[in-house]
Each structure stands twice: as structure tokens, then as C-alpha cells.
Amino acid sequence: MTEQITLRAPDDWHIHLRDGAALERTVPDAARQFRRAIVMPNLVPPVTDAESATAYKERICAQIPAGTPFEPLMVIYLTDKTDAAIIRQAHAAGIIAAKLYPAGATTNSDSGVTDITNIYSALEEMQTCGMKLLVHGEVTTSDIDIFDREHVFIEKTLSRLVDDFPTLKVVFEHITTAQAAEFVQGAREGVAATITAHHLLYNRNHMLVGGIQPHFYCLPILKRGYHQNALIEAATSGNPKFFLGTDSAPHARHKKEHACGCAGCYTAYSAIELYAEVFERAGKLDKLEGFASEFGPDFYELPRNQDTITLAKSPWTLPEKLAMGGENLIPLAAGETLNWQLV
Ligand SMILES: NC(=O)N[C@@H](CC(=O)O)C(=O)O
Ligand SMILES: [Zn+2]
Ligand SMILES: [Zn+2]
């Protein structure tokens, strides 16, 4: 008989669904395996308040396949102009978090925050009402090497932020370094991190040896194998401060395979199977359920899902390409064989 594992149904605590025709691709892919997903607000223009987040949620919900349980959890994008009133309205409208993009750090972050002290009144209000802060943790100054931007952000910004707002719940999103894993392990209660499948499966050699591989290009950028190993250790440790966030971020093929290619890996098509691969290789399949399905809702103070999913050890090959709004989209690990498949 085929080997199988059954888990409490998982959620994705960091995903990019985009907008318009892309939603026909991204929403069903996410809903295939996840019951809830935290939807990133870096649209053009960004989702900066309750009204735009509520309208965006409706556009997402219109693409949920009939009969599939899926709930998008909405987030607003912090700008230099976000004040306490915007936070209060967002909280009242059921927005569970706000996202800090340092201006210029990543895709569609031009409207992001130029100086963290500009949002101190917003952070104060978030701490009071219990809204979570999600952080793209990289410095952006040109003197800092791209491979060092995350760990310098911890020293320059994040450690002070978690001290200045001692009860604010903070998620250090898509961590990529040993320093970030160590920081979160040692941080106060209420500080957690998401980890992507691609940062667990790959390191910078996969992206740069034997020809440049644009489909591995994402931000924060893939680091050395040493950092990859530290992330695997953290994700499979059973420490509830680390949980699943795919950072699945679709960009059409022609925008990835370009002289100035976009950052982002599309993993939503097969995310849970990619994570299963990592946990199996580490000999820690028993730790997948906590990471994928329990620690996230516990952190967000939401109920754990009550239903289950089953993965079978039945090798299958990922498609070479997918369609997204009339364009081609290359899923991460396109054409590769995965051991585990969602039943
Ligand atoms: N991770 C990425 O490389 N890209 C994300 C933005 C982000 O999460 O930083 C995107 O929106 O494309
Ligand atoms: Zn990011
Ligand atoms: Zn992201």
C-alpha cells in the first residue's frame, strides 16, 4: 500500500495572489491545499486601508472554487502616512495585520516606509488593538551588500522595534539567514517568523552555478547552504515560533526571463508537497503538522482547522508551465519530480 500521512489542514501565512485575471490562477491554487491565507497587500497601487482591503477581499472571494473552504485574511500596507485612525478603521473592519515594507526593499515597495519612526503612532495603535505587524526585514541602503541586508536589518531596525513595542506581535517574514533564525529563537514572546519552501529547498548555488537561473531569484535573495541548513533546522525543530508562509509570488515568465528579471517564486501550485519534501529529507515528517497547521493559527489567536489533508508518497512531475491571465507562469521546480502528492 502507498505510504500516506494525514495532517490537520494547513494555512499559508504569507502569499501574493495579485489581482485581476491573475486571481483565476492564484486563488484556486492556494485553496487546493490551504484553508486560510494571509494575502499580501503589495498591489499597484497598494492596499493601504480598510476600504481597499475589503474590496480586494471581495475580488479574491469571487475566484474561490465552489465548495472549497478558503478564507483570505487581509493585511494593509504601511506607508509614511499610515496613522492611528487608519489602523483603528482597519482593525474594526477585520483586517488582522499591517505590513512593513521598507521603501525600495522588494516588488511594489515604492510606497513603503522611508523611516520607521514615521509609523510609530500606527505601531502604538496596533499594539493597543492587537493587530499584528508583518515585516519584510531588509535594509535598502546601497552600501549594504544584498546578501547582508537581512541580518543588518535585525541590528539596525528590528531589535529596537520589538523592544520599543514590547507587546506588539511581530512576524519576521520569509527569513533567509542563520542570524534571523537565531534572533527569533532568542526574541521575546510574540515574535515569530515564516519560512518559505524555496529557502528550505535551495541555496544561492542553485541560482548561480552552471548559468543564472532566474526562477530562483526572489527577495530576500537565496543565501549560502549554511543558512539554508539553519532554516531547515528551525522549521523542523517543533519550535512554535516558526511556521509556514510560502511567499508564493507569481511573475509572468517573460518578466522573470528578462535582462532585469522580477523577484519572486511561484510555489502555490504545489506548496505543501514542496514542504513535505524538505521535512522528509530532514527525517522530520512528524514535525510538518505543527509547522504547517498549528503554530500559525496559535500565533494569530485563530482556531486551528478541524479537517485534515492527506499526502501520499506517490511521485509526480510538476508541469513545465502554467497559465496565468493569458501569460505563462513557471512554477518553482517546474518539470521536477516530487515524492509526495496531495490526495
Ligand atoms: N519575495 C519576492 O521576491 N517577491 C514578492 C515580494 C516580497 O515578498 O518581498 C513579490 O510580491 O513578488
Ligand atoms: Zn517580502
Ligand atoms: Zn512576500
Side-chain angles (χ1 to χ4, degrees):
M1 219 190 88
T2 318
E3 197 186 325
Q4 293 196 335
I5 50 169
T6 294
L7 325 172
R8 185 188 295 280
D11 305 296
D12 185 349
W13 301 97
H14 180 136
I15 196 169
H16 301 267
L17 297 176
R18 311 299 190 210
D19 207 352
L23 295 174
E24 292 167 33
R25 165 90 262 154
T26 58
V27 175
D29 281 355
R32 169 181 169 262
Q33 57 213 294
F34 298 114
R35 296 292 175 270
R36 293 169 289 198
I38 291 223
V39 182
M40 290 295 138
N42 61 332
L43 304 181
V44 191
V47 176
T48 52
D49 56 19
E51 198 186 345
S52 54
T54 306
Y56 183 32
K57 182 174 183 173
E58 281 169 21
R59 298 196 294 279
I60 295 167
C61 288
Q63 297 302 329
I64 301 172
T68 305
F70 181 72
E71 186 190 1
L73 302 171
M74 306 311 290
V75 175
I76 58 165
Y77 182 119
L78 295 165
T79 73
D80 286 340
K81 300 220 157 60
T82 310
D83 59 15
I86 293 177
I87 297 296
R88 266 194 301 277
Q89 280 159 15
H91 179 66
I95 310 298
I96 65 167
K99 179 74 187 257
L100 166 60
Y101 290 103
T106 188
T107 307
N108 302 336
S109 63
D110 297 349
S111 318
V113 175
T114 59
D115 184 330
I116 185 86
T117 58
N118 291 339
I119 55 163
Y120 264 41
S121 65
L123 296 178
E124 196 69 58
E125 185 62 30
M126 286 169 64
Q127 178 169 256
T128 304
C129 69
M131 222 159 119
K132 280 64 181 171
L133 175 69
L134 316 185
V135 181
H136 180 108
E138 289 193 286
V139 295
T140 56
T141 47
S142 58
D143 58 318
I144 304 296
D145 188 274
I146 186 167
F147 291 99
D148 298 331
R149 288 179 173 204
E150 183 175 278
H151 78 79
V152 173
F153 182 84
I154 300 170
E155 294 152 27
K156 288 227 156 95
T157 308
L158 192 57
S159 25
R160 194 176 133 202
L161 194 150
V162 304
D163 286 348
D164 286 352
F165 300 93
T167 61
L168 178 65
K169 281 194 154 181
V170 179
V171 185
F172 193 177
E173 298 288 340
H174 49 42
I175 60 166
T176 64
T177 56
Q179 291 94 329
E182 219 170 274
F183 173 79
V184 171
Q185 267 148 14
R188 65 160 169 82
E189 201 187 314
V191 177
T194 51
I195 308 182
T196 76
H198 44 288
H199 290 99
L200 293 169
L201 284 165
Y202 305 108
N203 59 61
R204 67 194 200 179
N205 274 12
H206 294 97
M207 178 175 61
L208 295 171
V209 173
I212 191 159
Q213 311 267 333
H215 296 290
F216 289 129
Y217 176 61
C218 64
L219 291 170
I221 199 157
L222 292 173
K223 307 295 192 301
R224 291 175 181 272
Y226 157 80
H227 295 287
Q228 179 193 4
N229 291 337
L231 299 175
I232 295 171
E233 183 70 39
T236 63
S237 67
N239 182 339
K241 286 181 150 183
F242 299 100
F243 47 82
L244 186 156
T246 62
D247 192 22
S248 177
H251 294 273
R253 176 180 196 161
H254 67 96
K255 292 187 176 156
K256 295 283 297 170
E257 298 174 9
H258 189 279
C260 183
C262 292
C265 299
Y266 191 67
T267 51
Y269 185 76
S270 56
I272 195 68
E273 290 109 330
L274 291 167
Y275 281 107
E277 206 77 18
V278 174
F279 279 69
E280 179 179 48
R281 282 186 212 161
K284 298 281 182 63
L285 263 180
D286 59 314
K287 296 287 198 279
L288 181 60
E289 184 173 44
F291 177 81
S293 316
E294 296 179 345
F295 306 152
D298 295 354
F299 179 88
Y300 278 92
E301 300 150 80
L302 292 169
R304 295 176 176 182
N305 295 319
Q306 288 307 311
D307 61 330
T308 59
I309 60 160
T310 296
L311 295 166
K313 196 161 189 181
S314 137
W316 64 293
T317 302
L318 262 82
E320 295 287 350
K321 60 177 200 269
L322 302 168
M324 178 178 70
E327 294 181 313
N328 284 325
L329 174 66
I330 309 298
L332 190 80
E336 288 180 33
T337 298
L338 299 180
N339 279 320
W340 292 92
Q341 184 163 27
L342 189 64
V343 175

